[in-house]
Amino acid sequence: MASSTVWQCLVALSLFSSAAYGYGYGDGNGNDNGYGDGNGNSYGYGNGQLDPKFYEKSCPALGFIVRVSMIKAVLTERRMGASLLRLFFHDCFVQGCDGSILLDDVPATNFTGEKTAFPNVNSVRGFEVIDDIKRNVEYVCPGVVSCADILALAAREGTVLLGGPSWAVPLGRRDSTTASLDGANSDLPGPTLNLTELIQSFANKSLSPRDLTALSGAHTIGFSQCVFFRDHIYNDTNIDPAFAADLRRSCPAPAGSGDTNLTPLDAQTRFVFDNAYYPNLVARRALLHSDQELFNGAAQDELVRQYSADSALFFADFVAAMIKMGNISPLTGSAGEIRRNCRVVNSS
Protein backbone atom coordinates (compact mmCIF):
# COMPACT_ATOMS: atom_id res chain seq x y z
CA MET A 1 0.00 0.00 0.00
CA ALA A 2 1.36 3.42 -0.92
CA SER A 3 1.83 5.89 1.90
CA SER A 4 0.41 9.39 1.84
CA THR A 5 3.96 10.78 1.94
CA VAL A 6 4.92 8.91 -1.22
CA TRP A 7 1.85 10.11 -3.07
CA GLN A 8 2.35 13.70 -1.93
CA CYS A 9 5.87 13.57 -3.34
CA LEU A 10 4.55 12.23 -6.64
CA VAL A 11 1.88 14.90 -7.00
CA ALA A 12 4.46 17.44 -8.18
CA LEU A 13 5.20 15.23 -11.18
CA SER A 14 1.58 15.09 -12.32
CA LEU A 15 1.83 18.33 -14.29
CA PHE A 16 4.46 16.75 -16.50
CA SER A 17 2.46 13.59 -17.10
CA SER A 18 -0.47 15.43 -18.67
CA ALA A 19 1.73 16.69 -21.48
CA ALA A 20 2.24 13.15 -22.75
CA TYR A 21 -1.41 12.95 -23.71
CA GLY A 22 -1.49 16.30 -25.49
CA TYR A 23 -5.20 16.87 -24.99
CA GLY A 24 -6.67 19.79 -26.91
CA TYR A 25 -10.06 21.35 -27.14
CA GLY A 26 -12.73 21.28 -29.85
CA ASP A 27 -15.13 18.82 -31.41
CA GLY A 28 -13.60 18.93 -34.86
CA ASN A 29 -16.28 21.30 -36.11
CA GLY A 30 -14.96 24.54 -34.67
CA ASN A 31 -16.81 24.15 -31.38
CA ASP A 32 -15.07 24.18 -28.03
CA ASN A 33 -17.11 21.37 -26.50
CA GLY A 34 -14.81 18.40 -26.83
CA TYR A 35 -11.29 17.17 -26.33
CA GLY A 36 -8.65 15.87 -28.69
CA ASP A 37 -6.37 12.87 -28.34
CA GLY A 38 -3.13 14.66 -29.22
CA ASN A 39 -3.00 13.01 -32.65
CA GLY A 40 -4.98 15.57 -34.61
CA ASN A 41 -8.35 14.06 -33.73
CA SER A 42 -10.95 15.74 -31.57
CA TYR A 43 -14.15 14.40 -30.07
CA GLY A 44 -17.19 15.94 -28.45
CA TYR A 45 -17.90 14.56 -25.01
CA GLY A 46 -21.65 14.65 -25.27
CA ASN A 47 -23.24 14.92 -21.84
CA GLY A 48 -22.99 18.55 -20.77
CA GLN A 49 -22.88 17.50 -17.13
CA LEU A 50 -19.58 15.64 -17.55
CA ASP A 51 -16.28 17.38 -18.23
CA PRO A 52 -12.72 15.99 -18.55
CA LYS A 53 -11.60 18.96 -16.41
CA PHE A 54 -14.09 18.24 -13.61
CA TYR A 55 -11.36 17.51 -11.02
CA GLU A 56 -8.87 20.08 -12.32
CA LYS A 57 -9.04 22.07 -9.09
CA SER A 58 -10.37 19.56 -6.56
CA CYS A 59 -7.94 16.73 -7.45
CA PRO A 60 -5.37 17.88 -10.04
CA ALA A 61 -3.18 14.79 -9.52
CA LEU A 62 -5.99 12.34 -10.29
CA GLY A 63 -4.87 11.39 -13.80
CA PHE A 64 -1.31 10.84 -12.68
CA ILE A 65 -2.33 8.68 -9.72
CA VAL A 66 -4.55 6.48 -11.87
CA ARG A 67 -1.84 6.19 -14.51
CA VAL A 68 0.88 5.13 -12.06
CA SER A 69 -1.47 2.65 -10.37
CA MET A 70 -2.42 1.16 -13.72
CA ILE A 71 1.20 0.87 -14.85
CA LYS A 72 1.82 -1.18 -11.73
CA ALA A 73 -1.26 -3.34 -12.35
CA VAL A 74 -0.49 -4.04 -16.01
CA LEU A 75 3.18 -4.75 -15.30
CA THR A 76 2.00 -7.28 -12.71
CA GLU A 77 -0.49 -8.86 -15.14
CA ARG A 78 -0.87 -7.63 -18.73
CA ARG A 79 -4.33 -9.17 -18.95
CA MET A 80 -5.55 -6.59 -16.44
CA GLY A 81 -5.81 -3.88 -19.08
CA ALA A 82 -8.48 -5.88 -20.90
CA SER A 83 -10.18 -6.87 -17.65
CA LEU A 84 -10.73 -3.27 -16.57
CA LEU A 85 -11.96 -2.23 -20.00
CA ARG A 86 -14.53 -5.02 -19.81
CA LEU A 87 -15.43 -4.06 -16.23
CA PHE A 88 -16.26 -0.53 -17.39
CA PHE A 89 -18.43 -1.89 -20.21
CA HIS A 90 -20.33 -4.13 -17.78
CA ASP A 91 -20.83 -1.18 -15.44
CA CYS A 92 -22.18 1.19 -18.09
CA PHE A 93 -24.68 -1.28 -19.57
CA VAL A 94 -26.44 -1.75 -16.22
CA GLN A 95 -27.99 1.37 -14.63
CA GLY A 96 -25.47 3.51 -16.53
CA CYS A 97 -21.85 4.30 -15.66
CA ASP A 98 -22.39 4.57 -11.91
CA GLY A 99 -19.97 2.10 -10.32
CA SER A 100 -22.81 -0.27 -9.40
CA ILE A 101 -20.83 -3.30 -10.60
CA LEU A 102 -18.23 -2.63 -7.90
CA LEU A 103 -20.68 -3.18 -5.03
CA ASP A 104 -20.41 -6.40 -3.04
CA ASP A 105 -23.37 -8.40 -1.79
CA VAL A 106 -24.13 -7.54 1.85
CA PRO A 107 -26.27 -10.37 3.28
CA ALA A 108 -26.69 -8.61 6.63
CA THR A 109 -28.65 -5.81 4.96
CA ASN A 110 -30.16 -7.94 2.15
CA PHE A 111 -28.20 -5.92 -0.41
CA THR A 112 -27.55 -7.81 -3.64
CA GLY A 113 -25.02 -6.51 -6.12
CA GLU A 114 -24.34 -7.42 -9.75
CA LYS A 115 -21.26 -9.59 -9.33
CA THR A 116 -23.22 -12.86 -9.19
CA ALA A 117 -25.16 -12.19 -12.41
CA PHE A 118 -24.49 -14.85 -15.07
CA PRO A 119 -22.41 -12.56 -17.33
CA ASN A 120 -20.30 -11.47 -14.34
CA VAL A 121 -19.88 -14.35 -11.91
CA ASN A 122 -16.38 -15.84 -11.93
CA SER A 123 -15.75 -13.72 -15.00
CA VAL A 124 -15.45 -9.96 -14.46
CA ARG A 125 -12.31 -9.04 -12.57
CA GLY A 126 -10.06 -6.18 -11.60
CA PHE A 127 -11.89 -5.13 -8.44
CA GLU A 128 -8.69 -5.21 -6.38
CA VAL A 129 -7.04 -2.82 -8.82
CA ILE A 130 -9.92 -0.36 -8.47
CA ASP A 131 -9.63 -0.70 -4.69
CA ASP A 132 -5.91 0.09 -4.91
CA ILE A 133 -6.48 3.15 -7.10
CA LYS A 134 -9.23 4.38 -4.80
CA ARG A 135 -6.92 4.11 -1.77
CA ASN A 136 -4.19 6.01 -3.58
CA VAL A 137 -6.60 8.74 -4.68
CA GLU A 138 -8.04 9.04 -1.16
CA TYR A 139 -4.57 9.72 0.26
CA VAL A 140 -4.35 12.88 -1.85
CA CYS A 141 -7.99 13.87 -2.47
CA PRO A 142 -10.17 12.35 0.28
CA GLY A 143 -13.88 12.20 -0.41
CA VAL A 144 -13.64 13.89 -3.81
CA VAL A 145 -13.41 11.33 -6.66
CA SER A 146 -16.10 8.78 -7.40
CA CYS A 147 -15.44 5.10 -7.96
CA ALA A 148 -17.37 5.39 -11.23
CA ASP A 149 -14.88 7.96 -12.53
CA ILE A 150 -11.91 5.93 -11.31
CA LEU A 151 -13.21 2.95 -13.29
CA ALA A 152 -13.66 5.10 -16.41
CA LEU A 153 -10.09 6.39 -16.14
CA ALA A 154 -8.68 2.93 -15.44
CA ALA A 155 -10.36 1.58 -18.58
CA ARG A 156 -8.70 4.32 -20.63
CA GLU A 157 -5.28 3.72 -19.06
CA GLY A 158 -5.52 -0.04 -19.63
CA THR A 159 -6.22 0.60 -23.30
CA VAL A 160 -3.31 3.02 -23.68
CA LEU A 161 -0.82 0.80 -21.86
CA LEU A 162 -1.55 -2.03 -24.29
CA GLY A 163 -0.94 0.17 -27.31
CA GLY A 164 -4.41 1.55 -27.93
CA PRO A 165 -5.64 5.12 -28.40
CA SER A 166 -6.00 7.71 -25.67
CA TRP A 167 -8.86 10.10 -25.06
CA ALA A 168 -9.92 12.72 -22.54
CA VAL A 169 -12.39 10.97 -20.25
CA PRO A 170 -15.47 13.05 -19.37
CA LEU A 171 -15.69 13.14 -15.57
CA GLY A 172 -18.10 14.14 -12.85
CA ARG A 173 -20.02 10.91 -12.33
CA ARG A 174 -21.21 10.03 -8.87
CA ASP A 175 -21.61 6.56 -7.39
CA SER A 176 -24.87 4.71 -7.16
CA THR A 177 -26.30 3.48 -3.89
CA THR A 178 -28.13 0.68 -5.70
CA ALA A 179 -27.31 -2.21 -8.02
CA SER A 180 -29.40 -4.39 -10.29
CA LEU A 181 -28.82 -8.13 -10.50
CA ASP A 182 -31.81 -8.44 -12.85
CA GLY A 183 -30.44 -5.66 -15.04
CA ALA A 184 -27.06 -7.36 -15.27
CA ASN A 185 -28.74 -10.59 -16.33
CA SER A 186 -30.93 -8.90 -18.93
CA ASP A 187 -29.03 -5.90 -20.30
CA LEU A 188 -25.52 -7.20 -20.93
CA PRO A 189 -25.24 -8.56 -24.50
CA GLY A 190 -24.29 -12.22 -24.42
CA PRO A 191 -21.95 -14.24 -26.66
CA THR A 192 -24.82 -16.17 -28.29
CA LEU A 193 -26.69 -13.15 -29.68
CA ASN A 194 -27.20 -12.72 -33.41
CA LEU A 195 -26.57 -9.42 -35.20
CA THR A 196 -30.16 -8.19 -34.93
CA GLU A 197 -30.15 -8.86 -31.19
CA LEU A 198 -26.76 -7.18 -30.75
CA ILE A 199 -27.89 -4.07 -32.60
CA GLN A 200 -31.04 -3.89 -30.46
CA SER A 201 -29.06 -4.40 -27.25
CA PHE A 202 -26.81 -1.47 -28.11
CA ALA A 203 -29.71 0.64 -29.37
CA ASN A 204 -31.30 0.20 -25.95
CA LYS A 205 -28.32 2.17 -24.62
CA SER A 206 -28.47 4.78 -27.42
CA LEU A 207 -25.47 3.23 -29.18
CA SER A 208 -25.45 2.78 -32.95
CA PRO A 209 -24.48 -0.26 -35.04
CA ARG A 210 -21.20 1.56 -35.78
CA ASP A 211 -20.63 1.95 -32.02
CA LEU A 212 -21.33 -1.77 -31.62
CA THR A 213 -18.75 -2.73 -34.23
CA ALA A 214 -16.14 -0.31 -32.90
CA LEU A 215 -16.57 -1.27 -29.23
CA SER A 216 -16.44 -4.96 -30.13
CA GLY A 217 -12.90 -4.26 -31.30
CA ALA A 218 -11.93 -4.27 -27.63
CA HIS A 219 -11.84 -8.04 -28.13
CA THR A 220 -8.45 -7.52 -29.69
CA ILE A 221 -7.27 -7.99 -26.09
CA GLY A 222 -8.44 -10.27 -23.32
CA PHE A 223 -9.55 -13.86 -22.92
CA SER A 224 -12.80 -15.81 -22.84
CA GLN A 225 -13.83 -18.94 -20.99
CA CYS A 226 -14.70 -22.13 -22.85
CA VAL A 227 -18.29 -22.02 -21.61
CA PHE A 228 -18.88 -18.84 -23.64
CA PHE A 229 -17.61 -20.14 -27.00
CA ARG A 230 -18.20 -23.91 -26.83
CA ASP A 231 -21.36 -23.84 -28.92
CA HIS A 232 -19.68 -21.68 -31.56
CA ILE A 233 -16.75 -24.04 -32.14
CA TYR A 234 -18.83 -27.24 -32.10
CA ASN A 235 -22.11 -26.24 -33.75
CA ASP A 236 -21.69 -23.12 -35.89
CA THR A 237 -20.86 -23.37 -39.56
CA ASN A 238 -19.52 -19.82 -40.06
CA ILE A 239 -16.13 -20.64 -38.53
CA ASP A 240 -12.84 -21.71 -40.10
CA PRO A 241 -12.72 -25.51 -39.63
CA ALA A 242 -9.03 -25.61 -38.75
CA PHE A 243 -9.49 -22.81 -36.22
CA ALA A 244 -12.44 -24.63 -34.62
CA ALA A 245 -10.50 -27.90 -34.45
CA ASP A 246 -7.59 -26.20 -32.70
CA LEU A 247 -9.90 -24.59 -30.13
CA ARG A 248 -11.57 -27.90 -29.33
CA ARG A 249 -8.28 -29.16 -27.91
CA SER A 250 -8.66 -26.87 -24.89
CA CYS A 251 -12.47 -26.65 -24.80
CA PRO A 252 -14.06 -30.12 -24.48
CA ALA A 253 -17.56 -30.65 -25.87
CA PRO A 254 -19.32 -31.92 -22.71
CA ALA A 255 -20.91 -29.13 -20.70
CA GLY A 256 -19.17 -28.71 -17.37
CA SER A 257 -15.87 -30.02 -18.72
CA GLY A 258 -13.23 -27.32 -18.97
CA ASP A 259 -15.81 -24.54 -18.71
CA THR A 260 -13.33 -22.05 -17.24
CA ASN A 261 -10.44 -22.84 -19.58
CA LEU A 262 -9.19 -19.56 -21.05
CA THR A 263 -8.47 -18.77 -24.70
CA PRO A 264 -7.34 -15.39 -26.07
CA LEU A 265 -9.98 -13.51 -28.03
CA ASP A 266 -7.25 -12.53 -30.49
CA ALA A 267 -4.54 -15.17 -30.60
CA GLN A 268 -2.25 -13.12 -32.86
CA THR A 269 -1.79 -10.10 -30.56
CA ARG A 270 -3.48 -11.07 -27.32
CA PHE A 271 -1.82 -8.33 -25.25
CA VAL A 272 -1.72 -5.58 -27.88
CA PHE A 273 -4.61 -3.23 -28.56
CA ASP A 274 -4.68 -3.06 -32.36
CA ASN A 275 -7.08 -3.77 -35.22
CA ALA A 276 -6.13 -7.47 -35.60
CA TYR A 277 -9.58 -8.47 -34.31
CA TYR A 278 -11.16 -7.43 -37.61
CA PRO A 279 -9.02 -9.51 -40.01
CA ASN A 280 -9.86 -12.43 -37.71
CA LEU A 281 -13.55 -11.81 -38.40
CA VAL A 282 -12.96 -11.65 -42.15
CA ALA A 283 -11.09 -14.97 -41.92
CA ARG A 284 -13.96 -16.44 -39.86
CA ARG A 285 -11.66 -16.91 -36.90
CA ALA A 286 -13.72 -15.11 -34.24
CA LEU A 287 -13.70 -16.84 -30.87
CA LEU A 288 -17.27 -15.86 -29.97
CA HIS A 289 -20.44 -16.42 -31.97
CA SER A 290 -21.49 -12.82 -31.32
CA ASP A 291 -18.22 -11.51 -32.73
CA GLN A 292 -18.52 -13.49 -35.95
CA GLU A 293 -22.02 -12.08 -36.36
CA LEU A 294 -20.39 -8.74 -37.21
CA PHE A 295 -19.01 -10.34 -40.38
CA ASN A 296 -21.54 -12.83 -41.60
CA GLY A 297 -22.98 -11.52 -44.84
CA ALA A 298 -24.95 -8.66 -43.31
CA ALA A 299 -24.94 -4.93 -42.64
CA GLN A 300 -21.68 -4.62 -40.68
CA ASP A 301 -19.45 -6.51 -43.13
CA GLU A 302 -18.22 -3.40 -44.95
CA LEU A 303 -17.32 -1.58 -41.73
CA VAL A 304 -15.40 -4.65 -40.52
CA ARG A 305 -13.44 -4.58 -43.79
CA GLN A 306 -12.71 -0.89 -43.30
CA TYR A 307 -11.45 -1.37 -39.75
CA SER A 308 -9.41 -4.35 -40.91
CA ALA A 309 -7.59 -2.16 -43.43
CA ASP A 310 -7.42 1.10 -41.45
CA SER A 311 -6.35 1.01 -37.81
CA ALA A 312 -6.59 4.81 -37.53
CA LEU A 313 -10.26 4.69 -38.50
CA PHE A 314 -10.89 1.97 -35.93
CA PHE A 315 -9.08 3.90 -33.20
CA ALA A 316 -11.02 7.09 -33.97
CA ASP A 317 -14.38 5.31 -33.94
CA PHE A 318 -13.46 3.35 -30.82
CA VAL A 319 -12.64 6.56 -28.94
CA ALA A 320 -15.88 8.21 -30.05
CA ALA A 321 -17.87 5.13 -29.00
CA MET A 322 -16.12 4.90 -25.61
CA ILE A 323 -16.95 8.53 -24.86
CA LYS A 324 -20.54 7.93 -25.94
CA MET A 325 -20.82 4.77 -23.82
CA GLY A 326 -19.30 6.59 -20.85
CA ASN A 327 -22.19 9.04 -21.03
CA ILE A 328 -24.87 6.41 -20.44
CA SER A 329 -27.09 7.66 -17.59
CA PRO A 330 -24.44 9.10 -15.27
CA LEU A 331 -25.39 10.25 -11.79
CA THR A 332 -24.37 13.88 -11.37
CA GLY A 333 -24.95 16.85 -9.11
CA SER A 334 -26.43 15.71 -5.82
CA ALA A 335 -27.56 12.29 -7.09
CA GLY A 336 -25.83 9.25 -5.65
CA GLU A 337 -22.74 9.70 -3.51
CA ILE A 338 -18.94 9.63 -3.49
CA ARG A 339 -18.23 6.23 -1.95
CA ARG A 340 -15.47 5.98 0.61
CA ASN A 341 -15.07 2.30 -0.25
CA CYS A 342 -15.95 1.25 -3.81
CA ARG A 343 -17.38 -2.07 -2.60
CA VAL A 344 -20.06 -0.72 -0.25
CA VAL A 345 -22.36 2.28 -0.01
CA ASN A 346 -21.44 4.85 2.61
CA SER A 347 -24.40 3.97 4.85
CA SER A 348 -23.17 0.37 5.29
Side-chain angles (χ1 to χ4, degrees), residues 20 137 144 170 175 195 335:
V137 170
V144 172
D175 297 320
L195 182 59

Short mmCIF file of all heavy atoms in Angstrom, two decimals, residues 20 137 144 170 175 195 335:
data_model
loop_
_atom_site.label_atom_id
_atom_site.label_comp_id
_atom_site.label_asym_id
_atom_site.label_seq_id
_atom_site.Cartn_x
_atom_site.Cartn_y
_atom_site.Cartn_z
N ALA A 20 2.07 14.34 -21.90
CA ALA A 20 2.24 13.15 -22.75
C ALA A 20 0.99 12.83 -23.55
O ALA A 20 1.05 12.23 -24.61
CB ALA A 20 2.63 11.94 -21.90
N VAL A 137 -5.94 7.46 -4.44
CA VAL A 137 -6.60 8.74 -4.68
C VAL A 137 -7.04 9.36 -3.35
O VAL A 137 -6.89 10.58 -3.13
CB VAL A 137 -7.81 8.57 -5.62
CG1 VAL A 137 -8.65 9.85 -5.68
CG2 VAL A 137 -7.33 8.20 -7.02
N VAL A 144 -13.41 13.02 -2.65
CA VAL A 144 -13.64 13.89 -3.81
C VAL A 144 -14.00 13.12 -5.07
O VAL A 144 -14.92 13.50 -5.81
CB VAL A 144 -12.39 14.76 -4.09
CG1 VAL A 144 -12.53 15.52 -5.41
CG2 VAL A 144 -12.14 15.72 -2.94
N PRO A 170 -14.53 12.16 -20.06
CA PRO A 170 -15.47 13.05 -19.37
C PRO A 170 -15.69 12.57 -17.94
O PRO A 170 -15.90 11.37 -17.70
CB PRO A 170 -16.75 12.93 -20.20
CG PRO A 170 -16.27 12.50 -21.55
CD PRO A 170 -15.13 11.58 -21.28
N ASP A 175 -21.41 8.00 -7.59
CA ASP A 175 -21.61 6.56 -7.39
C ASP A 175 -23.04 6.25 -6.99
O ASP A 175 -23.65 6.96 -6.20
CB ASP A 175 -20.66 6.05 -6.30
CG ASP A 175 -19.20 6.22 -6.67
OD1 ASP A 175 -18.86 5.98 -7.84
OD2 ASP A 175 -18.40 6.60 -5.78
N LEU A 195 -26.84 -10.82 -34.91
CA LEU A 195 -26.57 -9.42 -35.20
C LEU A 195 -27.78 -8.53 -34.87
O LEU A 195 -27.62 -7.44 -34.30
CB LEU A 195 -26.18 -9.24 -36.67
CG LEU A 195 -25.84 -7.81 -37.09
CD1 LEU A 195 -24.67 -7.27 -36.28
CD2 LEU A 195 -25.52 -7.77 -38.59
N ALA A 335 -27.10 13.68 -7.02
CA ALA A 335 -27.56 12.29 -7.09
C ALA A 335 -26.45 11.35 -6.63
O ALA A 335 -25.26 11.64 -6.79
CB ALA A 335 -27.96 11.95 -8.52
#
